[in-house]
Amino acid sequence: MELSGNRRQVTGFALVAVVVVAGVLLSPKFLIEQVKHVKQTPILAGGLFLAVYLVRPMFAWPTTVVAVAVGYVYGPVVGFPAALCGTVMSAYLPFVAARYFRVDSGIFGRLGDSGERFFDTTGDLRGMIASRLFPVPSDAVSAAAGLSNVSDGSFLLGTAIGEVPWMVVAVLAGSSLDTLSLDGIEDNWMLIVAAALGGILLLAGPAYRAYTDDQ
């Protein structure tokens, strides 16, 4: 049964609240402990990672944490494509949910309108790549894209391209660990700065054209 606009917004806010509470109650350390138990059984680990990528948005676990665990189990050759595919699949879930909860009024409507103006300026694909390069929570980017009516193809391709540097570093970090740990996983400031600069460069052209059009 199709929900009305108001009920859809209320349901959307309730879902966000559930994610926040779930993220507080169950930290990524739970995942790390489970991975340690299945490291010697790659097939069993594959089933675990598939389940983790499907439920990850419900706990707002960072995609880089899961990618480190994938690299720890499989190494860089198998781990990189596995982590990238899992990340794209996992990011698609909040994207679809946000697109369903998008309405023309209320806070979701205003956020969607703002996002549409951004993507109208940058183009869907360029905007998605740049958004992924910036060091912001993955699920927030996915939700914003869903509220902004970004096309499926641009979302999936832009996510895959923009996540490449994050996945490379995370998988390599995981593959080099003797003991899986969360310590230092997200403290690579050089990567954060480099990726952010890449996002800025991608947006520089559209921003300049938008500025000159307004003059």
Side-chain angles (χ1 to χ4, degrees), residues 8-9 12-13 16 92-117 119 124 128 139-151 155:
R8 194 178 301 181
Q9 288 200 70
F13 282 122
V16 171
Y92 190 64
L93 301 178
F95 168 76
V96 172
R99 188 160 60 182
Y100 173 77
F101 289 115
R102 164 69 196 269
V103 292
D104 294 331
S105 61
I107 188 170
F108 288 164
R110 291 193 293 274
L111 289 173
D113 290 340
S114 298
E116 284 184 352
R117 289 193 293 271
F119 286 107
D124 284 0
M128 279 308 310
D139 295 330
V141 173
S142 298
L147 292 173
S148 305
N149 289 322
V150 170
S151 67
F155 175 83

Side-chain angles (χ1 to χ4, degrees), residues 25-37:
L25 294 178
L26 195 63
S27 77
K29 290 183 179 180
F30 172 80
L31 165 65
I32 299 304
E33 293 303 317
Q34 306 313 307
V35 171
K36 289 178 180 178
H37 295 319

Side-chain angles (χ1 to χ4, degrees), residues 53 63-64 67 80 83-84 87 163-172:
Y53 276 118
T63 54
T64 50
F80 171 70
L84 185 60
T87 295
E163 289 286 355
V164 164
W166 302 108
M167 294 299 102
V168 167
V169 172
V171 170
L172 288 177

Side-chain angles (χ1 to χ4, degrees), residues 12-210:
F13 282 122
L15 181 59
V16 171
V18 169
V19 170
V20 172
V21 172
V24 171
L25 294 178
L26 195 63
S27 77
K29 290 183 179 180
F30 172 80
L31 165 65
I32 299 304
E33 293 303 317
Q34 306 313 307
V35 171
K36 289 178 180 178
H37 295 319
V38 299
K39 184 181 187 298
Q40 303 304 322
T41 312
I43 295 179
L44 186 59
L48 172 65
F49 285 127
L50 177 60
V52 166
Y53 276 118
L54 288 174
V55 303
R56 184 204 59 78
M58 286 299 300
F59 302 101
W61 290 343
T63 54
T64 50
V65 170
V66 186
V68 168
V70 172
Y72 175 72
V73 173
Y74 293 111
V77 176
V78 175
F80 171 70
L84 185 60
C85 290
T87 295
V88 173
M89 174 190 69
S90 185
Y92 190 64
L93 301 178
F95 168 76
V96 172
R99 188 160 60 182
Y100 173 77
F101 289 115
R102 164 69 196 269
V103 292
D104 294 331
S105 61
I107 188 170
F108 288 164
R110 291 193 293 274
L111 289 173
D113 290 340
S114 298
E116 284 184 352
R117 289 193 293 271
F118 169 77
F119 286 107
D120 285 343
T121 301
T122 64
D124 284 0
L125 181 58
R126 181 191 293 263
M128 279 308 310
I129 296 173
S131 298
R132 292 300 180 189
L133 288 173
F134 285 112
V136 296
S138 172
D139 295 330
V141 173
S142 298
L147 292 173
S148 305
N149 289 322
V150 170
S151 67
D152 291 284
S154 294
F155 175 83
L156 294 172
L157 181 58
T159 295
I161 295 173
E163 289 286 355
V164 164
W166 302 108
M167 294 299 102
V168 167
V169 172
V171 170
L172 288 177
S175 65
S176 67
L177 295 176
D178 294 325
T179 301
L180 186 57
S181 170
L182 292 179
D183 295 337
I185 284 178
E186 298 181 310
D187 293 335
N188 193 324
W189 291 103
M190 291 183 64
L191 171 64
I192 292 173
V193 172
L197 286 174
I200 292 172
L201 289 174
L202 276 175
L203 298 179
Y208 177 75
R209 288 192 295 270

